[in-house]
Amino acid sequence: MSQHTLDELDRAILRQLEDDGRRAFREIARNLGSSEATVRARVKRLQDLNILRIVAFADPERLGDSQLALVFLTVDPARHQDVVDTLTEMPEITYVSTLLGRSDICVEVGSANNAELWAFLNQHVSAIEGVRTTETISILKVHKLRYGTPSKE
């Protein structure tokens, strides 16, 4: 994974967009004491480098008929990337990460109810070649959800 150096203006632009991804470049420029052209160029560069992606996020709790669960998987080391690739293609899975510790991979799964979650885990996740064990934890309530750069403040 390649790393890129961000300066204070890049970070400030990211913070502005994290607060409101639809904020106008003109407003960001005014807030930061920069020009709109500079902000536009910086955002384009950050997007081209795959540092920034602006997306819509729907709160599953407010949508109703949804249940979230975290699933921790232990996998065969030789199959790790294959398992990750398979998991990331599943539309029910909204988050995939590799871990150090007791588990190898963590995923977040959205489902309508326990029966749907059970069926998905047994028919799809456990059936992936290389998956040794799974541990599922139901999420009762999300108290904070923030994607973004770590705050230094």
Side-chain angles (χ1 to χ4, degrees), residues 2 10 13-14 20 23 26-27 29 39 45 57 65 75 82 85 92 100 117 129 133 142 144 151:
S2 144
D10 291 329
I13 291 168
L14 288 172
D20 180 359
R23 184 168 286 155
R26 180 179 309 164
E27 182 182 347
V39 170
R45 185 178 126 271
F57 178 77
D65 288 336
V75 301
D82 295 331
D85 292 344
E92 297 87 351
L100 288 175
L117 176 62
E129 187 177 341
T133 64
V142 176
K144 180 178 180 179
S151 176

Side-chain angles (χ1 to χ4, degrees), residues 11-30:
R11 292 184 187 283
I13 291 168
L14 288 172
R15 284 191 296 273
Q16 292 278 313
L17 290 170
E18 287 166 0
D19 287 341
D20 180 359
R22 294 176 45 129
R23 184 168 286 155
F25 293 155
R26 180 179 309 164
E27 182 182 347
I28 294 170
R30 186 175 55 246

Side-chain angles (χ1 to χ4, degrees), residues 50-71:
N50 291 318
I51 293 171
L52 172 66
R53 193 175 82 192
I54 299 172
V55 298
F57 178 77
D59 185 344
E61 188 174 313
R62 294 180 186 258
L63 295 176
D65 288 336
S66 67
Q67 175 178 342
L68 294 175
L70 293 177
V71 182

Side-chain angles (χ1 to χ4, degrees), residues 55-131:
V55 298
F57 178 77
D59 185 344
E61 188 174 313
R62 294 180 186 258
L63 295 176
D65 288 336
S66 67
Q67 175 178 342
L68 294 175
L70 293 177
V71 182
F72 297 92
L73 296 90
T74 303
V75 301
D76 294 327
R79 303 284 305 166
H80 185 273
Q81 189 59 51
D82 295 331
V83 173
V84 167
D85 292 344
T86 301
L87 292 168
T88 58
E89 293 299 319
M90 296 178 169
E92 297 87 351
I93 294 179
T94 58
Y95 171 85
V96 179
S97 62
T98 295
L99 308 173
L100 288 175
R102 193 171 63 198
S103 300
D104 300 311
I105 299 171
C106 175
V107 300
E108 182 182 71
V109 178
S111 62
N113 52 48
N114 282 334
E116 187 178 287
L117 176 62
W118 176 258
F120 175 73
L121 293 173
N122 285 300
Q123 295 169 11
H124 299 286
V125 176
S126 294
I128 299 170
E129 187 177 341
V131 172

